[in-house]
Amino acid sequence: MKQSENKKVKKNIHLIANAHLDPVWLWRWQEGCSEALSTFRTAAELTDEFSGFVFNHNESILYQWVKENDPVLYNKILECVKEGKWNIMGGWYLQPDCNMPSGESIIRNIQVGRRFFKEEFNVIPTTAINFDSFGHSRGLVQILKQAGYDSYIVCRPGENWYQFPDQDFVWKGFADSEIIVHRSDENYNSIWGQAEEELTKFLDYKKEEDVTLFLWGVGDHGGGPSRKDLADLQKRIEEDGDVCIIHSTPEDYFRELAEKNPKLHEITEGLNPVAQGCYTSQIRVKQKHRLLENELYSAEKMASMAEIQYGRTYPRELFREVEKTLLFSEFHDALPGSGSPQVEEDTLRLLEYGLELISREKHSAALTLAKEEGRVKEGSSTILYYNPHPYDITGVFVCEVGLPKQNWTTEFMYPEVMYNGERIPTQAEKENSNFAIDWRKKVVVQATLKAASMNRMDVFFKPMEKRPVFHEIVSKLKYIFDNGRMKVVINTTNGLLEEYSVDGINYLTKDSFELASFDDTYNPWGIRTGESSARRSFQLLTPHEGSEFSGLKSKVIPSVRVIEDGEVRTTIEAVFGMHNSKAYIRYQLPKSGTEFDVEVGVLFLEKEQYLKLMLHTPYTEHNFMGQIMFGREELKQGEETVSQKWVMVQEKDSDRAVAVLNKGTHGASCKEGELGLTLLRSAGYTAADFVMGKALQEEQWAPRMEQGERFYQFRITAGNSKELSEHLDQMAQAYNEEPYAFAYCPPGYQETNGVSKEGIFLGVDQPGIIISAMKKSEDKDGYILRLYESVGEDTLTTISVLNNTITKGVEFKAHEIKTFYLSVKDGTLEETSMIEME
């Protein structure tokens, strides 16, 4: 045998130099921007000083900051990339939370980053990077594959979560998607001056691997490689005879891994849980984020329809600005609530900025879509509802409107609504303002809104002697509401729900909607569960206490009372207290249908507690499901979980299930039939014990999260589990992306733009097929239509556009995402790639 054939092939060690740089965390974005400039400047200099060195970095927001603030440095980076000294890694806008944003938001994150790096550097990475995100939704796998990625690097969850020691594995997602994942057990950074020492320890720990990836560079606040570390590593490279240490890129590592073709373990679930406290910390950020998602994606649909039907110019640049606002709020220390108080306020301000921009565009689109509505009828006011979805929505709808003529009398003007030529159930409820004159009307109706259409309601008024008052209900131990199909029983001695039944079947039982507070940690990432966490319940206030909390100084009223009643719904309000905190719960019970809404308001003044809304099901054996990105997943029972717009408890061995829809709460737990929806955590800001000892031990006042008023909305629905499951995503979308309601005196213009306004503009014939986006193409004259299968079943559906002038039959695999390009000019609807590129 020749000597060369006897020679052992050295194992390759791929050094991935990076600088994990949080734009915000313990610092605000301004410091993150400044640090990006410093880190990138140092890295660019080191690529010249050390031959063969390659620096890796991702996140287009950081490169954008460099381009705007230091053109000289930016040009240097452009040269480094061309010369192979600098590798564009990951290719996203930033590293987001990977559980709470919708799948549509993740696609936008990838697309904004992809387009930037392709345009500026002519680079498209094939390895996705989310080092520091607190867990990863299984729905990511399909998104990554359709976006063109073949590999993914994560650091969380840590190695103890897995049932095997290998760092590389195959992650299987929905619709037959899969991707190779590397979990970096060495974490994403190294301590300054200790990179070579850490490498030595790590190589010994991973000596059985055929090929090894090693992330290094000072991180969190940037920093990256240092001259000392590079000098130490260079010496190690020259001296080491056992392995071949190379400066490398993630793509090169995965390329070699593929060549070796090892047998890898498979994972078929989300990479969760991680940092379960982050599913709830800084709840206002999560609620505002969900609201901006809802407003952006519904506004895009409306703006698309306004352009197609009436020729109104689609505001691409405004939507791009709002989109980046949304994406920045999703950063993995902003949306999860692990940032400082200043970061929380900055994120809320940013979200409000996006909401303000989108509110203007949405209303303008709505006015355009109302152009052909007839003039207001004599003696009436007009309310318009635009339903942007491809399905009819039946339910309770609310809009405030002014009287057609000012009322200077003491009479109360009660509304009656005509819709499609018929009178529909209507009632007046307490308006939002408190000016003691009868001018404003909160009009509540029960109706069915036509799909993808403007729905007009004419409101007439008749005088009453005074505003309606409602009888007390506390003289009986129970208040029983029954609309023929749904029965709800409220215990008037404690304000809690005793029964929720549909068609004679019970779904919720005694003491449901209890507000329970638990001892918690001050750490925003963690959450204390189990026997070590004492439980305390809010109790019904006495009439005197309840009246004082309600703001009534001159009268005393019961603490459980009817506050609204009419043809449409009955609202029961109960007020509670615990220690320094108070709360109200409103049960909104419709006179038809099988679902009801719950509104919760909390004045919370406790520290290091978490608060849950507890629902009791009659089930002892059950499944616990939750919505995730473009799909659903069974959630782990007995621990804190993360989901998106709904959770469902389904009794095993039966066809019964109860579900809860939400508007921005993500944390929940379920054990032995008790479902707990996590409302808030009063942890410390960025508080963690570390090398300096215990946190929050300074002898001074320190802020805690969620001190003050917080508000929540939920919708409760139940029934046959198969039927409920088929409609859940559609119901959750309609609950979150609500039809746009506004009072208006329409102009009655006759404009056509060549497109018929009769019939249904947009339709999908299967309830489990959801349109996550309809928007103008980034570069072309047509429109992007993105849909996904929500139930988990292979489905054939028909998509119809422009009142059936374009129809297309489409087959979906279970939870499959499909993206289409709609050309109105050519009358075509064709499948296209998920990520739009020029």
Side-chain angles (χ1 to χ4, degrees), residues 707-744:
Q707 302 297 287
E709 293 181 332
R710 301 292 183 267
F711 302 96
Y712 308 86
Q713 292 175 285
F714 301 99
R715 177 161 292 169
I716 316 301
T717 184
N720 176 276
S721 57
K722 187 177 188 304
E723 294 177 6
L724 184 61
S725 182
E726 287 175 351
H727 290 84
L728 260 181
D729 275 52
Q730 188 183 91
M731 293 167 64
Q733 183 182 52
Y735 183 55
N736 278 266
E737 293 182 34
E738 296 176 306
Y740 186 71
F742 62 112
Y744 185 42

Side-chain angles (χ1 to χ4, degrees), residues 27-92:
W27 46 86
R28 302 171 75 182
W29 74 266
Q30 294 91 335
E31 189 170 338
C33 173
S34 300
E35 182 55 41
L37 296 172
S38 300
T39 295
F40 281 19
R41 191 176 297 117
T42 299
E45 292 170 356
L46 293 176
T47 60
D48 287 337
E49 294 179 27
F50 290 85
S51 177
F53 169 60
V54 179
F55 180 65
N56 298 265
H57 214 283
N58 53 323
E59 297 174 311
S60 67
I61 178 63
L62 304 183
Y63 289 82
Q64 186 68 46
W65 282 342
V66 175
K67 182 179 180 180
E68 292 170 356
N69 296 287
D70 193 337
V72 173
L73 173 59
Y74 191 73
N75 288 331
K76 174 62 177 176
I77 294 172
L78 287 169
E79 293 175 9
C80 289
V81 171
K82 289 179 182 177
E83 294 170 0
K85 300 176 179 180
W86 188 300
N87 179 59
I88 302 298
M89 182 172 68
W92 293 26

